[in-house]
């Protein structure tokens, strides 16, 4: 179903092959999740203390000028997270637009103008979103992710949702009260089991390997058992090396 939808959305030929290997942007998260220097630098730019528990709110785009989906009760959410984590918490707000519709404070920060969304994902400990793929950026980092879709009925009418959305492995809510309950009852071990098959890494490497293997299958006949052979800018040392790559397909 997803393949058909992608081909329709991007006007792709029916014979185009879609590789389900994850987003290349996620390699940045995996490669830097333990990069304390980078994480501290980003927090310093945002004037955030290292010991704060950070919740990122990153809703997706709306094109109907409605702000109903953004009416999260951030004060109550903040208190619920502090009760759950027993830590000082701050909420980082990263809007697509309409950032002025939020009441900001010392603990509810507007980071909409920060240019690198992946940096915000790195420094944050949890996320609240609605229909955004950013939820899966947190899943691959094994960080809590919560869906709060306050305007789901209107969103389905105006932009539509794929059927798979309703089986995403994240605590789901359509009201503020349900969101607070999901935070209160959040079970991290159960969550890890639910997101297990969504943890995809090394997506760039895997895509490049796919290209190498595809070429390898087509060009095996070019190789001899002597020296190195170059074809289309790719260099291999032996038939054994190329055969090994081809066998990985």
């Amino acid at each position: 179903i997803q393949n058909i939808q992608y081909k329709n959305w991007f006007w792709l030929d029916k014979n185009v092959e879609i590789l389900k290997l994850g987003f290349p942007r996620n390699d940045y998260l995996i490669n830097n999740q333990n990069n304390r220097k980078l994480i501290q630098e980003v927090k310093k730019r945002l004037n955030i203390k290292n010991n704060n528990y950070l919740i990122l709110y990153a809703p997706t785009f709306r094109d109907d000028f409605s702000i109903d989906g953004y009416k999260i009760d951030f004060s109550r959410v903040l208190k619920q997270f502090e009760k759950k984590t027993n830590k000082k918490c701050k909420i980082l707000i990263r809007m697509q637009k309409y950032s002025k519709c939020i009441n900001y404070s010392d603990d509810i920060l507007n980071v909409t103008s920060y240019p690198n969304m992946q940096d915000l994902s790195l420094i944050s400990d949890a996320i609240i979103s609605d229909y955004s793929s950013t939820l899966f950026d947190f899943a691959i980092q094994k960080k809590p992710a919560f869906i709060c879709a306050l305007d789901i009925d209107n969103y389905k009418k105006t932009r539509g949702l794929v059927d798979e959305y309703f089986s995403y492995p994240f605590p789901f809510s359509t009201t503020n009260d349900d969101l607070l309950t999901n935070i209160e009852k959040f079970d991290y071990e159960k969550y890890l089991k639910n997101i297990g098959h969504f943890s995809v890494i090394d997506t760039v490497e895997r895509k490049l390997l796919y290209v190498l293997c595809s070429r390898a299958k087509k060009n095996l006949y070019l190789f001899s058992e002597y020296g190195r052979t170059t074809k289309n800018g790719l260099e291999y040392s032996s038939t054994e090396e190329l055969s090994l790559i081809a066998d990985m397909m």
Side-chain angles (χ1 to χ4, degrees), residues 26-41:
N26 289 338
D27 286 354
Y28 179 82
L29 298 176
I30 296 301
N31 294 336
N32 288 290
Q33 62 183 343
N34 296 316
N35 187 341
R36 304 311 305 170
K37 181 180 179 181
L38 172 62
I39 292 172
Q40 289 175 6
E41 286 177 353

Side-chain angles (χ1 to χ4, degrees), residues 34-230:
N34 296 316
N35 187 341
R36 304 311 305 170
K37 181 180 179 181
L38 172 62
I39 292 172
Q40 289 175 6
E41 286 177 353
V42 175
K43 288 183 177 182
K44 185 176 181 180
R45 288 179 214 150
L46 296 171
N47 196 28
I48 296 172
K49 295 181 179 179
N50 284 327
N51 59 346
N52 290 153
Y53 187 93
L54 303 179
I55 305 101
L56 179 63
Y57 174 62
T60 197
F61 174 76
R62 270 84 165 170
D63 53 9
D64 62 353
F65 304 105
S66 172
I67 62 172
D68 290 340
Y70 307 139
K71 294 181 179 180
I72 303 287
D73 192 335
F74 293 109
S75 295
R76 292 172 67 199
V77 167
L78 191 68
K79 291 177 181 177
Q80 190 69 280
F81 266 107
E82 290 187 333
K83 182 179 179 181
K84 181 70 175 180
T85 64
N86 197 29
K87 295 180 180 179
K88 174 64 177 176
C89 295
K90 290 183 181 292
I91 298 178
L92 310 181
I93 310 291
R94 171 64 182 258
M95 303 290 285
Q96 296 280 354
K97 54 181 180 178
Y98 309 129
S99 61
K100 293 182 180 180
C101 70
I102 307 294
N103 292 321
Y104 299 102
S105 68
D106 290 341
D107 295 325
I108 302 172
L109 309 178
N110 184 1
V111 296
T112 300
S113 62
Y114 189 85
N116 190 339
M117 179 63 182
Q118 301 309 91
D119 280 350
L120 297 177
S121 297
L122 272 179
I123 68 169
S124 298
D125 300 289
I127 187 172
I128 299 170
S129 190
D130 38 35
Y131 320 105
S132 173
S133 63
T134 304
L135 291 159
F136 293 95
D137 294 351
F138 278 69
I140 68 165
Q141 298 178 87
K142 296 181 172 54
K143 295 178 179 179
F146 299 84
I147 292 177
C148 186
L150 298 179
D151 61 347
I152 189 168
D153 291 334
N154 183 62
Y155 193 89
K156 282 193 292 186
K157 292 178 182 178
T158 57
R159 294 182 66 83
L161 289 168
V162 297
D163 293 338
E164 290 84 354
Y165 173 77
F166 298 96
S167 60
Y168 285 172
F170 310 111
F172 182 86
S173 60
T174 57
T175 68
N176 275 290
D177 286 341
D178 287 345
L179 173 60
L180 294 173
T181 298
N182 286 339
I183 296 169
E184 178 186 10
K185 296 184 177 180
F186 183 75
D187 185 327
Y188 185 66
E189 295 303 321
K190 182 178 179 181
Y191 174 73
L192 288 181
K193 292 179 181 178
N194 290 339
I195 65 171
H197 64 292
F198 288 99
S199 299
V200 179
I201 61 174
D202 295 329
T203 57
V204 172
E205 181 179 339
R206 294 171 70 196
K207 286 179 173 66
L208 291 174
L209 180 60
Y210 180 90
V211 173
L212 288 173
C213 292
S214 297
R215 291 191 180 187
K217 280 189 170 181
K218 296 176 182 178
N219 298 317
L220 274 172
Y221 70 92
L222 292 172
F223 287 78
S224 71
E225 59 186 351
Y226 302 106
R228 304 185 70 87
T229 305
T230 303

